[in-house]
Amino acid sequence: MIQFDNVTKRYDTGHEALKRVSFHIKANEMVFLTGHSGAGKSTLLKLIMMMEQPSDGQVLVDGFDLGAQSRKHIPFHRRQIGVVFQNHQLLFDRSVFENVALPLQIAGYTPREIGRRVRAALDKVGLLEKEKHNPITLSGGQQQRVGIARAVVHKPKILLADEPTGNLDPELSSEIMYLFEQFNRVGVTVLLASHDLSLITGMKHRMLTLSDGAVVGGFD
Amino acid sequence: MARQAPAKKPVKIDTGASASKVNIKTRLDGWIKDHRRVSKDSFKRLMAQPINSIVTWLVIGIALALPVGLYVALGNVQELSHRWDGDAQISLFLHQRVSAQSEQRLQQQLRSWPEIESLHIISKEQALEEFQAISGFADVLQHLDHNPLPTVIEIGPTPQFSDVAGAEKLLKKLQALPPVELAKLDLQWVQRLTAMLEVGQRLALGLVILLSMGVLLVIGNTIRLEIENRRDEIIVTKLVGATDAYVRRPFLYTGLWYGLGGGFIASIIIAVGLAILNKPVATLAGLYQSDYMLLGLSFSDMVSLWMMAGILGFFGAWFSVSKHLDAMEPR
């Protein structure tokens, strides 16, 4: 589902964030991406999201070479992917419902369909009763769950998460991890970047380890 | 059923098979609905900051009212000059010594000329009476032992001889008549006025161009600030797959609303200005024995003003959006 072939990402400053990275994540897999901070985890996720272009090598998502796609296709590529950020990136000028509805609105769903899917997603993360609240009134863990609901509401094939538990205490963190596992169980490919080894080593999933921009473990 | 946006070739979307079955009508329907939602939403946003929006509307309205007001003024002057232009008159002042008999003869002779459409005689006595009535020199005139005023024949040429060249030809012919002391064609002021009007029109055109650019910049800058304010939202929407068109849409509508509102205010400014001027103009016209009324903006003029303003707003937003928004990519 996600394949990197000798991918190098060099920034204008000369810094090499990724060095000849190769790996393959199969469909329905759940993989942890680990490494010290600055090892290149975020860069790797950005390449998958087409927020960055590789300097060298090939990134394939669902069999398509991202380098061969024009700028115009970026939005349609992103609609297949759900992303969860450490700082959840919620909009505080609208309700929880409207935050989660955003990807559907963009894709042009009917209001009825939007209502149905948003409530289903909120139900899955256990926040159905909060739909009318402003996300600013929610706790950190709840905000992160709203972010997850938004990432999965349009039923993406791939779910990416960048340090989704970075700001949460251990108990909340494992709740969030459990959520990701559930989505993986229904067929979503999950790639989750985290440096919280104590949290993820207990879970039986492949660990892709980056160090200084190079893959040092779990490439296959 | 979901209306998935058209999946472009290289990207497969797993619901693609069913999405492609969604017919064009449904998709168009969704597109229209989205426009309706976005236009309403951007209007509501303007209303949520009434002071800011009103100030912007006023700036645009004043900038548009200036050239449009100048056009209205020019239109009025032109209308007035047309009124006088139409009946270009030649006044014949006859010699004092001309007898009533030869006056009569001259009159008959002139009536037979094909160049002349109308003829109006003001006898010495009539002229004196009128002069006494309106000049305020009644006392002075009483002291004169004879009437110093000549008989005047006002001649209205036929339309062919009403233009500058034709009227001048006729003037020469009339001047050659023996009883005529002076034939006077008051056309020079018409020529001068026409020249001045042309200058005025150029000036108005220059103002229109300059101030329209001003409006474009004002709207562009306002939209730029708006884009900055909504940076987070733009980045998040781009991350969840918004197309550039989708991201642009609310800002273009905002520009359109700014333009339309500004145009509306401009038409109010002009209407109020005309209402204030109407009374003194009527008084002035009365002094010239005219019942002239100021010409305002017709409804269709107003609609085109609004449309022009709306288009300016749209393009101001467009420039700003293409400069600032497309560069705003999630990092």
Side-chain angles (χ1 to χ4, degrees), chain A residues 97-162:
Chain A
F97 180 95
E98 286 164 316
N99 266 281
V100 177
L102 197 60
L104 301 177
Q105 218 171 53
I106 286 167
Y109 285 73
T110 59
R112 223 172 49 141
E113 187 74 4
I114 290 176
R116 202 178 63 73
R117 290 193 183 216
V118 169
R119 293 201 177 91
L122 282 175
D123 192 32
K124 237 174 269 173
V125 299
L127 286 173
L128 191 51
E129 77 284 4
K130 301 278 188 197
E131 61 167 300
K132 292 199 174 70
H133 289 56
N134 185 305
I136 208 161
T137 63
L138 304 183
S139 70
Q142 287 173 327
Q143 287 179 346
Q144 194 54 284
R145 269 146 60 196
V146 175
I148 294 171
R150 186 182 62 193
V152 299
V153 72
H154 55 303
K155 300 204 163 92
K157 281 187 279 193
I158 299 169
L159 186 55
L160 302 179
D162 192 2

Side-chain angles (χ1 to χ4, degrees), chain A residues 46 49 51-52 62 64 69 71-81 83 85 89-91 93-94 102-103 105-113 117 150 154-157, chain B residues 1-15 26 30 33-34 37 45 230 232-244 246 325-327 329-331:
Chain A
K46 281 178 182 174
M49 283 298 285
M51 290 159 73
E52 302 272 10
D62 198 15
F64 290 99
Q69 297 195 20
R71 194 177 172 277
K72 256 172 54 186
H73 295 126
I74 294 177
F76 303 99
H77 169 70
R78 286 182 185 156
R79 287 179 196 182
Q80 312 177 80
I81 303 173
V83 214
F85 307 90
Q89 298 261 30
L90 297 178
L91 300 171
D93 63 348
R94 57 195 77 190
L102 197 60
Q105 218 171 53
I106 286 167
Y109 285 73
T110 59
R112 223 172 49 141
E113 187 74 4
R117 290 193 183 216
R150 186 182 62 193
H154 55 303
K155 300 204 163 92
K157 281 187 279 193
Chain B
M1 178 60 228
R3 275 173 287 97
Q4 208 106 32
K8 294 286 161 60
K9 266 177 290 156
V11 183
K12 283 192 300 181
I13 292 179
D14 61 351
T15 52
T26 323
K33 270 197 191 123
D34 192 56
R37 181 183 63 79
R45 268 174 196 275
R230 293 171 71 179
D232 289 347
E233 182 187 344
I234 291 165
I235 288 186
V236 169
T237 49
K238 279 195 173 186
L239 272 179
V240 296
T243 57
D244 286 347
Y246 182 93
L325 198 60
D326 296 351
E329 281 294 332
R331 290 266 169 261

Side-chain angles (χ1 to χ4, degrees), chain B residues 138-325:
Chain B
D139 293 344
V140 184
L141 291 169
Q142 227 110 76
H143 293 291
L144 295 174
D145 48 1
H146 74 280
N147 181 356
L149 298 173
T151 298
V152 178
I153 304 179
E154 285 179 345
I155 288 169
T158 55
Q160 296 137 270
F161 289 88
S162 282
D163 63 341
V164 179
E168 260 162 10
K169 226 196 245 160
L170 179 59
L171 182 74
K172 261 189 202 137
K173 209 168 151 189
L174 290 166
Q175 183 73 71
L177 295 168
V180 175
E181 184 177 17
L182 176 71
K184 199 160 176 289
L185 170 64
D186 222 0
L187 259 186
Q188 216 165 22
W189 73 269
V190 175
Q191 286 169 302
R192 282 186 189 147
L193 185 70
T194 311
M196 272 191 262
L197 278 176
E198 219 155 286
V199 172
Q201 264 158 350
R202 287 285 163 89
L203 201 71
L205 186 68
L207 269 182
V208 165
I209 292 171
L210 277 178
L211 290 166
S212 297
M213 276 168 67
V215 169
L216 276 179
L217 291 176
V218 166
I219 291 177
N221 198 46
T222 312
I223 298 290
R224 183 182 64 81
L225 293 176
E226 175 96 8
I227 290 172
E228 283 301 324
N229 284 338
R230 293 171 71 179
R231 190 186 192 92
D232 289 347
E233 182 187 344
I234 291 165
I235 288 186
V236 169
T237 49
K238 279 195 173 186
L239 272 179
V240 296
T243 57
D244 286 347
Y246 182 93
V247 179
R248 254 185 239 137
R249 208 167 290 150
F251 298 102
L252 296 182
Y253 269 107
T254 306
L256 186 71
W257 293 134
Y258 275 134
L260 283 177
F264 188 66
I265 286 187
S267 55
I268 290 176
I269 291 174
I270 287 168
V272 169
L274 285 171
I276 291 170
L277 280 176
N278 224 338
K279 203 152 177 236
V281 165
T283 313
L284 186 68
L287 291 175
Y288 282 96
Q289 276 109 44
S290 156
D291 57 353
Y292 187 72
M293 293 282 287
L294 275 181
L295 295 177
L297 288 176
S298 68
F299 185 69
S300 70
D301 287 341
M302 254 190 279
V303 170
S304 18
L305 169 62
W306 298 338
M307 270 170 51
M308 254 284 291
I311 289 169
L312 276 178
F314 180 85
F315 278 104
W318 182 274
F319 288 135
S320 189
V321 158
S322 46
K323 189 155 175 260
H324 303 286
L325 198 60

